[in-house]
Amino acid sequence: MGMRLEHIGIAVKDLSESNDLFSALFGEAHYKIEAVESEGVKTSFFKTGSAKIELLEASNENSSIAKFIGKKGEGIHHLAFEVDDINFELDRLKKEGFVLIHETPKDGADNKRIAFLHPKSTNSVLIELCQDKG
Ligand code: ZN
């Protein structure tokens, strides 16, 4: 068990520009681009050692990424931790007093089930839990 840092999500205004920027930074291109319609986001992923970098661009103005950038500008949006049993962890964290944004996991990018904890219960850090669909 335990949580492993799986990726860091970064909100960007222009995914194509940021793909170029981060490709130059890492010396390696992203390995996939994926739209998550339910979240109103377009994502790209970079491999960086044991944890990935996920860039997130809003695909519509109601997207949580559009709201985030409107309030805070571009930058680190969330930390994602991989767990072995996401339902068990959500239950455990709820009992610990954490506020869940998603009571039950939903489909996310990169073939995962995901759920978010509300930043008001985590020192203003948006936390994502994820589990491989396998
Ligand atoms: Zn994520």
Side-chain angles (χ1 to χ4, degrees), residues 7 54 78-82 114-117 126-130:
H7 65 266
E54 174 187 35
H78 66 271
L79 304 181
F81 293 94
E82 180 148 56
I114 65 165
F116 283 91
L117 308 185
L126 181 60
I127 305 275
E128 173 186 346
L129 300 187
C130 59

Side-chain angles (χ1 to χ4, degrees), residues 10 18-29 46 48 53 55:
I10 298 176
S18 295
N19 276 335
D20 290 346
L21 177 73
F22 281 84
S23 294
L25 177 69
F26 298 136
E28 196 176 332
F46 292 83
T48 53
I53 297 294
L55 302 183

Side-chain angles (χ1 to χ4, degrees), residues 2 10 13 44-45 58 62 64 67 71 85 87 91 93 99 105 110 120 133:
I10 298 176
K13 287 181 184 164
S44 70
F45 285 88
N62 295 319
S64 59
K67 288 173 191 157
K71 260 193 262 180
D85 183 341
N87 289 305
D91 200 45
L93 292 168
V99 180
D110 213 21
K120 73 183 176 189
K133 278 195 229 168

Side-chain angles (χ1 to χ4, degrees), residues 44-88:
S44 70
F45 285 88
F46 292 83
K47 291 198 170 94
T48 53
S50 57
K52 302 162 190 159
I53 297 294
E54 174 187 35
L55 302 183
L56 302 121
E57 176 196 68
S59 50
N60 66 65
E61 62 192 17
N62 295 319
S63 156
S64 59
I65 294 301
K67 288 173 191 157
F68 177 88
I69 289 177
K71 260 193 262 180
K72 299 184 175 175
E74 294 178 297
I76 293 180
H77 177 259
H78 66 271
L79 304 181
F81 293 94
E82 180 148 56
V83 297
D84 295 322
D85 183 341
I86 193 167
N87 289 305
F88 173 87

